[in-house]
Amino acid sequence: MHASSHPAHTPAVTRRRLLGSGLALASLMGLAACSTGSRGGDEVTQPGATASSSPTDSFPVKVEHALGTTTVDAEPQRVVTVGASSNQDFVAALGVMPVGIVTVAWGGNANGSTDWFDEAVSRLGAEQPEQYDESDGTNFSAVAELSPDLIVAVNSGITQEDYDRLAKIAPVVAYPTGPWVNAWQDQQRLVAQALGRSEAGDTLVEDAEALIASRSEELGDAKGKTFIYGDVSGNLGFYGPGDGRPRFYEELGLTLPAVVTDNISEDEFWREWPQERADELDSDLFISAAEDDEAVQKFKEDPILRAIPAVAKDQAIFFTNKQDVLAGSVTSPLSIPYALDVHIPAIKGALGMQSS
């Protein structure tokens, strides 16, 4: 269909990276929790480092995940992360700054990080962690050089072989159920367990969920509308309910149509779709990405994409800012306020709703 430089859909190795929205960022979240008025006037606690910097659980702790059971003997002092950028978010949101993180090559800022993580670094009065590249897969040597006592990979595509190799360096906390198809709430709670901060993890999740629920009221009649989160930069296809992108939109109150839920399983994050059946991708809203505004125009005029009902009705969002997509696809308590400020106006705009 369209030429693409994106990697193939290989869930066990890497996630398909998309391009994000050109909408302006309304505000950055504060890491330290505070009460702030929602758009609707009710006070809602912002998620962030709500906990004391000290653990409240007793060590050793055992953490069960998809690749085994990990025992953490004592409070970790040197945490490193492997996989998507939300891994370091989950750690920093608990008031712990990792010593090593993966460089955010796709959707990152000038620091090779994200704005919300950098805000966490600033508010904790910490130094920026060491960074390492994962373009060729898990960077075992860089991880080992940092002498970690805990490796966090709850949002990653590490294999059992990768896990076993990392476990020789330090205890590893892998994903709850499978690569790339886990709820951010479950990932945050696993990290909290490993850091001895289970109660704080629960609070983070509850605060973030409350913020989403409050802000989603801004959508009004848009709640309940159907959506497809697709990709049109390469082969036509869509993301399933296990992927972070649709998960976020469902939390906002939108609904996946049967054409998605009937054609992809919970443990798959992506499904390619025949171009000749583009007209079957019926929903109120179609969401995808484009490299720039010129590409957006080409997509809107493409005869195959015009067969998608929502595109034909001009009810499509084509994001062009990568960090905007990252905020709502590798979701964490730190990224959620940013994502809400970006994606709620985008939904309303695409559906022709007046902004409040």
Side-chain angles (χ1 to χ4, degrees):
M1 186 174 174
H2 304 285
S4 172
S5 59
H6 296 308
H9 300 286
T10 50
V13 179
T14 184
R15 271 187 101 158
R16 189 174 181 85
R17 301 298 184 185
L18 286 186
L19 307 176
S21 128
L23 295 170
L25 171 65
S27 66
L28 284 175
M29 74 168 291
L31 176 67
C34 60
S35 285
T36 179
S38 73
R39 299 302 193 273
D42 296 327
E43 287 196 346
V44 177
T45 301
Q46 291 272 43
T50 60
S52 164
S53 59
S54 300
T56 55
D57 302 341
S58 298
F59 288 93
V61 297
K62 291 186 181 293
V63 183
E64 295 183 2
H65 48 81
L67 299 181
T69 299
T70 297
T71 300
V72 182
D73 291 325
E75 180 187 357
Q77 302 296 317
R78 296 183 60 80
V79 182
V80 303
T81 66
V82 170
S85 60
S86 56
N87 287 290
Q88 51 254 40
D89 291 356
F90 295 134
V91 177
L94 290 160
V96 178
M97 188 52 55
V99 297
I101 64 174
V102 176
T103 301
V104 185
W106 193 97
N109 57 24
N111 295 329
S113 179
T114 59
D115 290 350
W116 49 90
F117 182 79
D118 289 351
E119 179 72 5
V121 174
S122 176
R123 288 186 176 270
L124 288 174
E127 296 182 359
Q128 280 283 353
E130 293 290 327
Q131 294 185 8
Y132 33 87
D133 179 64
E134 271 196 353
S135 57
D136 294 326
T138 303
N139 195 330
F140 298 97
S141 59
V143 169
E145 286 174 6
L146 287 169
S147 302
D149 50 22
L150 180 68
I151 300 170
V152 172
V154 293
N155 191 10
S156 74
I158 62 171
T159 63
Q160 185 70 56
E161 181 181 358
D162 294 335
Y163 172 81
D164 293 341
R165 187 172 173 185
L166 286 169
K168 294 178 180 178
I169 301 172
V172 184
V173 181
Y175 35 79
T177 60
W180 309 124
V181 289
N182 302 275
W184 63 266
Q185 293 96 326
D186 296 336
Q187 297 173 66
Q188 180 65 76
R189 287 189 170 108
L190 280 190
V191 175
Q193 289 176 32
L195 293 175
R197 292 163 168 82
S198 296
E199 184 177 346
D202 289 339
T203 299
L204 276 170
V205 169
E206 291 166 5
D207 288 349
E209 289 180 332
L211 181 62
I212 292 171
S214 175
R215 291 292 307 275
S216 68
E217 292 303 314
E218 298 170 36
L219 290 172
D221 292 341
K223 296 183 76 170
K225 296 290 187 181
T226 58
F227 76 98
I228 294 174
Y229 206 128
D231 187 8
V232 297
S233 58
N235 295 328
L236 179 62
F238 53 77
Y239 293 92
D243 183 77
R245 282 154 276 226
R247 279 184 188 273
F248 180 65
Y249 275 74
E250 286 191 297
E251 287 184 286
L252 289 175
L254 278 71
T255 305
L256 287 169
V259 68
V260 172
T261 58
D262 289 349
N263 288 286
I264 192 168
S265 66
E266 287 286 344
D267 60 355
E268 295 176 295
F269 67 83
W270 163 263
R271 172 55 56 89
E272 188 171 332
W273 191 256
Q275 297 178 17
E276 63 273 14
R277 295 174 59 191
D279 63 314
E280 297 178 31
L281 297 177
D282 192 12
S283 63
D284 296 311
L285 183 65
F286 185 84
I287 309 156
S288 191
E291 185 66 34
D292 50 34
D293 291 339
E294 182 180 354
V296 170
Q297 193 59 36
K298 288 182 179 179
F299 289 158
K300 288 183 175 181
E301 296 172 354
D302 186 285
I304 294 173
L305 298 186
R306 291 294 298 177
I308 299 173
V311 177
K313 291 184 293 185
D314 200 26
Q315 292 184 180
I317 305 170
F318 289 98
F319 291 127
T320 57
N321 181 292
K322 298 175 182 179
Q323 188 165 234
D324 289 353
V325 167
L326 202 64
S329 61
V330 287
T331 314
S332 74
L334 296 188
S335 73
I336 283 170
Y338 182 115
L340 292 169
D341 284 341
V342 168
H343 291 266
I344 288 176
I347 294 168
K348 294 176 69 173
L351 294 176
M353 300 173 61
Q354 187 174 1
S355 296
S356 56

